[in-house]
Amino acid sequence: MRIVSIVGARPQFIKCAPVSVELRKNNQEILVHTGQHYDYELSKVFFDQLGIPTPDYNLGVGSASHGKQTSMMLIEIEKVLLNEKPDFVLVYGDTNSTLAGALASVKLHIPLGHVEAGLRSFDRRMPEEINRVLTDHASDLLFVPTKTAAENLKKEGICKNVFLVGDVMYDVLKQSITIAKQSQILETLAIQPKNYFLTTIHRPSNTDKIQNLSQIFEALSSAAKKVIFPVHPRTEHFIKKHGLERSIGRNIHMMKSASYFDFLWLEKNAEKILTDSGGIQKESYLLKVPCITLRDNTEWVETVEDGWNILVGTNKEKIMDAIHNFNPTGEQRDLFGSGDASTKIVKILEDYGSNTITYN
Ligand code: UD1
């Protein structure tokens, strides 16, 4: 099969890495990078570390408002699809690149697969929620990471061609943890295993409101330990624009976005992780590190049900309480499969291509 894979933002590079390896065993993959993320720290370093092939197309779309960014991607992706005439298009996750890829594909009647389908936060103000819902309803094959995701789709009437394959980010994590051990990041930052907190903040609901970001910084500044804070460019711009450096305590170590291996090693050795990212909530669970989620909702509800993740929003008192008292010890379930999601996805795709698929 000739398959076009569309990626554009940091989490998508991670998700496509193992799928790309599997795809290329028996098929031709044409990799398209929309250019949504373009900084070295958010893009190229992931290609280098995870051995992702150089994209066949880089659309260079870059940053813009949601409508403009998505529409520029749509125009450019359509040109690629008309030129390449693939048998199938694969999109990943929930970014604007995902939605643009999905729309371009269905408008040209090219079968579409969505990796990480079925996730819902039930918060329609999140741009990602709209991207997920629309992409799922446009897809021909839906690869879901969890049972909850499959149930979410069922409630929306999507029952056909939903495949519970597990989570591709677990594939990458499993394959990378040994290499991550060689990271020197703890030495560079002069921190000891299990004696620091790790935080990431990039959701518009947190970064675009001074009140929310200040509450988070005040809580983090009161932690008695060092807080490692790789800063997303969106957050960095906002901090500078509003002079928020003043509310950032001396225990908070701000650094540029970390590479995949360094970040994995920082996660594994953290005492606790405080984040508003979806992928990091999942990685915390897999690495058995308590996760304090700086949001009021999550797509990864199982991690909360199992007691390893707590939702605290941006309430200063709740964040401080979790920093001091959230110490999960409970049993964990196999929530995210066995780390072979990419093999399963490619097998299903190949069956689909040879018309041997059984519809469920
Ligand atoms: C996007 C995704 C989000 C994902 C995140 C991962 C959407 C709607 N959001 O959010 O789901 O969790 O990626 O990081 O698709 N910028 C740079 N350099 C870059 C890219 C962006 O400086 O390489 C800055 C620009 O000022 C830009 C801002 O970051 O305006 C936001 O970037 P954007 O791509 O719009 O969304 P993210 O916040 O990165």
Side-chain angles (χ1 to χ4, degrees), residues 9-11 36-39 42 63-64 66 69 94-97 127-128 131 202-203 232-234 237:
R10 177 170 57 180
Q36 178 171 353
H37 282 175
Y38 44 85
D39 283 351
L42 291 190
S63 306
H66 284 270
Q69 186 183 55
D94 55 17
T95 72
N96 290 344
S97 300
E128 293 83 4
N131 294 342
H202 79 279
R203 292 267 159 232
H232 187 286
R234 164 198 282 289
H237 295 164

Side-chain angles (χ1 to χ4, degrees), residues 19-261:
V19 181
S20 184
V21 170
E22 288 302 318
L23 270 181
R24 286 172 190 242
K25 288 183 181 166
N26 297 313
N27 308 279
Q28 190 190 353
E29 184 190 38
I30 299 132
L31 188 60
V32 178
H33 185 333
T34 63
Q36 178 171 353
H37 282 175
Y38 44 85
D39 283 351
Y40 175 79
E41 293 82 12
L42 291 190
S43 178
K44 179 93 172 46
V45 69
F46 289 84
F47 282 77
D48 293 346
Q49 287 200 335
L50 296 172
I52 306 166
T54 306
D56 298 279
Y57 294 84
N58 192 321
L59 308 178
V61 167
S63 306
S65 65
H66 284 270
K68 189 170 177 191
Q69 186 183 55
T70 311
S71 56
M72 289 195 300
M73 288 175 191
L74 182 54
I75 292 169
E76 296 305 318
I77 295 169
E78 185 177 65
K79 287 183 200 160
V80 173
L81 298 182
L82 286 169
N83 187 34
E84 295 291 345
K85 299 184 179 52
D87 301 306
F88 208 91
V89 170
L90 263 187
V91 293
Y92 296 83
D94 55 17
T95 72
N96 290 344
S97 300
T98 315
L99 178 62
L103 283 176
S105 180
V106 287
K107 294 276 182 188
L108 293 171
H109 304 152
I110 303 168
L112 174 71
H114 185 200
V115 177
E116 209 182 69
L119 294 185
R120 297 291 180 267
S121 64
F122 302 101
D123 177 0
R124 289 275 173 129
R125 290 185 59 81
M126 282 178 75
E128 293 83 4
E129 184 74 354
I130 303 299
N131 294 342
R132 290 178 197 123
V133 171
L134 298 179
T135 302
D136 284 341
H137 283 261
S139 295
D140 296 277
L141 300 183
L142 298 103
F143 302 109
V144 296
T146 60
K147 283 185 193 149
T148 311
E151 283 158 19
N152 289 338
L153 290 177
K154 204 171 171 185
K155 284 180 200 150
E156 292 175 20
I158 304 175
C159 306
K160 206 174 119 181
N161 290 350
V162 175
F163 299 94
L164 179 57
V165 290
D167 199 298
V168 285
M169 282 181 78
Y170 186 25
D171 296 19
V172 194
L173 187 148
K174 247 179 136 174
Q175 290 160 18
S176 305
I177 196 73
T178 324
I179 309 170
K181 266 186 200 150
Q182 292 159 23
S183 163
Q184 293 298 306
I185 191 71
L186 301 194
E187 290 77 4
T188 307
L189 297 173
I191 46 177
Q192 304 298 321
K194 300 296 163 190
N195 199 25
Y196 64 91
F197 301 125
L198 176 65
T199 193
T200 74
I201 310 159
H202 79 279
R203 292 267 159 232
S205 58
N206 286 340
T207 58
D208 298 2
K209 284 197 192 114
I210 297 179
Q211 165 79 357
N212 288 354
L213 207 48
S214 305
Q215 291 260 324
I216 295 173
F217 287 149
E218 279 174 33
L220 293 175
S221 304
S222 76
K225 290 190 178 162
K226 209 164 183 176
V227 179
I228 305 300
F229 179 21
V231 191
H232 187 286
R234 164 198 282 289
T235 319
E236 193 184 343
H237 295 164
F238 196 82
I239 292 171
K240 284 196 182 133
K241 188 172 160 199
H242 296 280
L244 287 175
E245 292 95 341
R246 287 190 301 275
S247 54
I248 299 178
R250 291 178 62 178
N251 64 321
I252 302 179
H253 178 85
M254 289 170 71
M255 58 184 274
K256 271 193 170 297
S257 295
S259 70
Y260 182 70
F261 295 141

